[in-house]
Amino acid sequence: QLQPHRRAESHRFTVFEYVKKLIKHVADEENQTEIYVHRFGSVPLKTYLPHGDLDVTAFAANDLWLERLKSKLEDEAKKNDIYVVSGVHSVPRDLRAQSREELGKKDQGPVEIVKVVKCQVNGISVDITANALGGMCNLCFLEKVDSMLNRDHLFKRATILVKSWCYFESHILSSQNGLLSTYALETLVLCIVNIFHEELFTPLDVLKKFLEYYANFDWRNHCLTMRGPVHRSNIPSGGEVPHLDNEPSYLLNDFILADDAHLQFLMSGLQDDNRGFQWKYMNICDPLSTRNNIGRSVSR
């Protein structure tokens, strides 16, 4: 079956509990009594590949605990313990910076940066961020899509199959190497499911439609949304990607969206990027933020 093995689930859960314990420990040292640690991304969605990393975020009053956590992980890496920690580093290196301007990237303006502490714990890559509300909303949204489509979790099983093809066969999945990010790929699958769900019954059906649909997609002149392509001329500079007209056949049609308070909240939009939609080599509109180009990691 196309789903994570129970041993893989148990292993990742154990790693998460260890990281969660460390975060709470350093938060206590920072006198942050209220901190809430959660997983997001492919692991809780259960669509990860064997090498997939673990995304962890903690919600607190500020992100000062990240620097202390990095130091704590570096100390843990020196120990001979049942938890083997290695490769501890952060992006950016200076976790005290609050904007790109402070990092010397003045051409990009005072845009807030995303701080990540990275490490490996018992062979699992872990990315730790602070207050990643967007990541949590993405997880809830994709869980909602999977439950709406149903068919024995067809969306999740199809995502695993398409992700496997993209990573192992076509080698187009890896945002760190100038290729697609996981969320961008999930949005590509979402578009297929949203438009063609009445024709899809197995993960192979989804993969077949995925290959047919994107083989001739005009990426140079169009941005992809969950309802299909939007021409570049219809996207104002520094603005938002417009919504396409409704079709009753869509899985996420206007009637469904208007009747579901949960979806309305998630899709109200995390419009926190004042720069607007930035046109890149590949353009994919975030379903939850029409200013966010989640295809921006593609560099060629």
Side-chain angles (χ1 to χ4, degrees):
Q1 292 185 345
L2 285 169
Q3 63 184 35
H5 194 278
R6 282 180 294 180
R7 286 199 299 270
E9 287 283 273
S10 177
H11 182 42
R12 281 167 173 76
F13 182 75
T14 301
V15 170
F16 168 67
E17 287 295 313
Y18 169 71
V19 172
K20 179 179 178 181
K21 180 180 177 181
L22 291 183
I23 292 174
K24 287 184 173 292
H25 176 76
V26 298
D28 287 341
E29 293 180 343
E30 290 284 345
N31 296 319
Q32 295 195 32
T33 55
E34 292 189 2
I35 188 164
Y36 305 93
V37 186
H38 298 277
R39 300 175 301 167
F40 67 99
S42 297
V43 171
L45 192 62
K46 300 185 189 304
T47 59
Y48 58 91
L49 298 182
H51 66 278
D53 58 7
L54 171 64
D55 293 305
V56 178
T57 190
F59 293 89
N62 56 58
D63 61 10
L64 299 178
W65 56 270
L66 273 173
E67 189 169 15
R68 190 180 288 272
L69 175 66
K70 181 182 176 182
S71 298
K72 180 67 175 176
L73 285 166
E74 289 171 340
D75 291 339
E76 292 291 304
K78 300 172 184 176
K79 297 180 181 178
N80 184 16
D81 199 1
I82 59 173
Y83 293 102
V84 180
V85 180
S86 62
V88 180
H89 65 287
S90 65
V91 180
R93 183 175 298 178
D94 182 8
L95 291 171
R96 293 167 296 181
Q98 296 299 319
S99 69
R100 295 181 186 274
E101 193 174 40
E102 290 183 38
L103 291 172
K105 301 179 180 181
K106 297 183 180 179
D107 58 314
Q108 301 186 46
V111 180
E112 186 177 353
I113 58 176
V114 177
K115 304 173 187 178
V116 188
V117 172
K118 295 173 173 283
C119 66
Q120 283 212 344
V121 180
N122 287 1
I124 301 295
S125 296
V126 183
D127 289 356
I128 306 162
T129 56
N131 303 323
L133 179 60
M136 295 298 297
C137 287
N138 296 342
L139 171 62
C140 293
F141 176 65
L142 296 178
E143 283 283 6
K144 186 71 175 181
V145 170
D146 182 68
S147 66
M148 291 176 63
L149 181 62
N150 203 348
R151 300 175 196 173
D152 192 24
H153 297 293
L154 177 57
F155 176 75
K156 292 185 179 183
R157 292 185 293 129
T159 298
I160 293 174
L161 180 61
V162 173
K163 188 183 289 186
S164 298
W165 182 85
C166 289
Y167 187 82
F168 296 110
E169 295 295 327
S170 62
H171 308 290
I172 60 173
L173 179 63
S174 177
S175 60
Q176 295 178 349
N177 295 304
L179 305 174
L180 279 172
S181 68
T182 297
Y183 184 43
L185 179 60
E186 290 166 343
T187 303
L188 296 183
V189 177
L190 169 64
C191 174
I192 298 299
V193 167
N194 188 43
I195 299 174
F196 304 107
H197 66 99
E198 294 176 344
E199 308 171 27
L200 308 173
F201 299 95
T202 70
L204 281 174
D205 292 337
V206 179
L207 177 60
K208 179 175 180 291
K209 185 63 71 174
F210 180 94
L211 297 175
E212 291 173 349
Y213 187 79
Y214 294 120
N216 299 308
F217 193 91
D218 182 9
W219 292 106
R220 182 182 296 274
N221 297 305
H222 290 83
C223 166
L224 181 84
T225 73
M226 70 175 186
R227 290 184 171 181
V230 174
H231 196 273
R232 182 174 186 173
S233 61
N234 294 324
I235 304 174
S237 178
E240 302 177 20
V241 178
H243 291 287
L244 291 176
D245 292 337
N246 179 59
E247 292 289 345
S249 60
Y250 289 153
L251 178 67
L252 295 168
N253 60 59
D254 286 352
F255 307 106
I256 294 292
L257 298 179
D259 196 45
D260 192 310
H262 189 197
L263 278 174
Q264 285 182 30
F265 172 77
L266 291 172
M267 300 189 71
S268 60
L270 299 169
Q271 307 291 8
D272 55 357
D273 193 339
N274 294 325
R275 296 171 298 173
F277 192 88
Q278 303 292 303
W279 196 266
K280 300 292 183 179
Y281 288 97
M282 192 172 193
N283 301 280
I284 304 171
C285 180
D286 186 341
L288 304 185
S289 177
T290 52
R291 294 178 182 269
N292 185 22
N293 183 359
I294 55 177
R296 63 183 180 274
S297 61
V298 178
S299 59
R300 60 184 183 275

